Amino acid sequence: MVGRLFSNTPSGYQALLVWMEKHTGESTGELHCVVEVTGIYHEGLAYALHEAGAWVSVVNPAQMRDYAKSLGTRTKTDKKDALVIARFGATQQPRQWQPEPPEIRQLKALIARLEAVKQDTQRELNRLEKAQVTQASAEVLTSIETVHQQLDTERVLLETLINEHIDQHPGLKQDRALLESIPGVGPVISQHMVALLRSRSFDAASQCAAFLGLVPVQHESGSSLRGRSRLSKAGNAQLHAKLYMAAIVAKRHNPDIKIQYERLLRHGKPRMSALCAATRKLVHICFGVLKHQTPYLPQVT
């Protein structure tokens, strides 16, 4: 296998396209390119390959690790990783990646920035509390309060930009309204779920729940060794936590989730397990209202 390093820049992408055509003898439109997810650093390449006409597959690193283990691969180098990825593409034929619509990409960027600002705001509040307890100087307190006010102003601005962005796109606006018809789903969850469900093609609600890490993982060996099941650690931890808090509200006000939660408790399930099931149920309902484009209707009477 012939290998070469390219810079992760537009010029590097163009050099890669020329190199691939030269060494394969095929046009870009006839090539199947497999890209491993690396945070955000794979996105530029994936978009460049897609726009050039290549068939692009974007694969999860955990999937690649498992595949490498199945081959008995122990050594980890860039060259060995490239060989494993190439073999995975040739033998497993991963499905084609489709880029997100521009309005979804922009929405996700705005939401990510808002979450970062919220985290910075909380850090400043923590610093303020510490400074007050330790009786820091007035200058230190003023500095922290100034930064906190600036961050809070930015938070309000970003929330406005997100709402305006959604309002400017009829499809996103309708999706948000449908999601907010679900008891337990407010503005924050609706924004996150619109961004998630419109950025990926899930065939079923169970796939979405699994992607978010809301499916139980069983530990069992033979007939004697059994461990307590737990939720998968996959998915976005921040969104997971927000959905969990939404489920706490939903188990009181959403009739479908309430009856499921109470039934599980009657059957002896721990409250935490019942609440995890409520979180998963909430995701299923979100998936359903967007798939069918109909407001929430309780399934129980």
Side-chain angles (χ1 to χ4, degrees):
M1 175 181 176
V2 180
R4 181 181 165 186
L5 294 176
F6 297 89
S7 62
N8 196 4
T9 62
S11 61
Y13 307 150
Q14 290 303 313
L16 172 62
L17 291 169
V18 172
W19 180 86
M20 289 193 302
E21 290 188 347
K22 176 181 177 181
H23 285 276
T24 64
E26 305 285 352
S27 66
T28 302
E30 297 173 304
L31 297 176
H32 183 184
C33 302
V34 181
V35 180
E36 185 179 24
V37 173
T38 53
I40 61 171
Y41 297 103
H42 69 285
E43 292 184 0
L45 174 59
Y47 276 92
L49 292 170
H50 177 82
E51 290 169 2
W55 176 292
V56 182
S57 296
V58 177
V59 297
N60 190 301
Q63 189 177 12
M64 293 309 309
R65 286 195 299 271
D66 291 342
Y67 181 72
K69 289 179 182 178
S70 73
L71 298 176
T73 302
R74 298 177 181 271
T75 305
K76 183 171 177 59
T77 63
D78 288 343
K79 186 174 181 180
K80 180 65 71 174
D81 286 349
L83 284 168
V84 170
I85 293 172
R87 184 168 179 177
F88 178 85
T91 61
Q92 305 302 306
Q93 291 294 306
R95 68 180 181 179
Q96 186 178 22
W97 170 78
Q98 293 295 333
E100 300 164 348
E103 64 271 20
I104 292 297
R105 199 176 187 195
Q106 177 66 8
L107 176 60
K108 289 176 68 175
L110 286 168
I111 290 175
R113 179 57 187 162
L114 175 60
E115 291 301 314
V117 168
K118 285 181 176 180
Q119 289 177 10
D120 289 340
T121 301
Q122 186 58 52
R123 291 190 185 101
E124 287 303 307
L125 285 174
N126 294 340
R127 292 185 182 110
L128 179 61
E129 181 181 3
K130 181 179 178 180
Q132 290 171 336
V133 169
T134 58
Q135 298 182 346
S137 66
E139 291 81 4
V140 170
L141 292 173
T142 299
S143 174
I144 296 174
E145 289 170 350
T146 299
V147 172
H148 175 262
Q149 290 172 2
Q150 291 173 338
L151 287 169
D152 200 51
T153 299
E154 191 66 19
R155 174 189 61 79
V156 173
L157 174 60
L158 286 165
E159 288 174 345
T160 301
L161 290 173
I162 289 172
N163 286 324
E164 290 177 348
H165 178 76
I166 292 175
D167 287 339
Q168 290 169 2
H169 295 84
L172 299 184
K173 186 176 181 179
Q174 178 172 318
D175 284 347
R176 178 179 62 184
L178 290 171
L179 288 169
E180 291 182 9
S181 72
I182 304 169
V185 174
V188 173
I189 293 298
S190 67
Q191 292 166 8
H192 280 272
M193 292 305 291
V194 167
L196 171 66
L197 293 170
R198 292 310 182 204
S199 66
R200 293 179 173 272
S201 297
F202 296 109
D203 295 328
S206 57
Q207 287 185 352
C208 181
F211 178 82
L212 289 167
L214 296 173
V215 294
V217 176
Q218 300 291 336
H219 292 271
E220 181 174 315
S221 178
S223 60
S224 58
L225 299 179
R226 289 184 174 87
R228 180 178 297 176
S229 63
R230 60 170 177 80
L231 287 185
S232 165
K233 294 182 180 180
N236 184 310
Q238 291 182 346
L239 179 53
H240 195 156
K242 292 181 191 303
L243 287 164
Y244 181 84
M245 296 305 296
I248 293 176
V249 176
K251 72 180 177 64
R252 296 195 299 268
H253 302 289
N254 186 300
D256 290 310
I257 292 176
K258 181 179 180 180
I259 195 170
Q260 179 202 51
Y261 178 80
E262 293 174 348
R263 182 179 69 250
L264 291 174
L265 292 182
R266 287 197 305 271
H267 290 171
K269 291 291 185 180
R271 290 186 180 275
M272 184 61 71
S273 295
L275 193 52
C276 289
T279 308
R280 186 163 57 252
K281 179 75 170 180
L282 185 61
V283 170
H284 281 229
I285 295 173
C286 289
F287 178 88
V289 299
L290 289 198
K291 178 180 179 180
H292 300 291
Q293 287 293 290
T294 57
Y296 168 76
L297 291 174
Q299 299 301 302
V300 296
T301 57

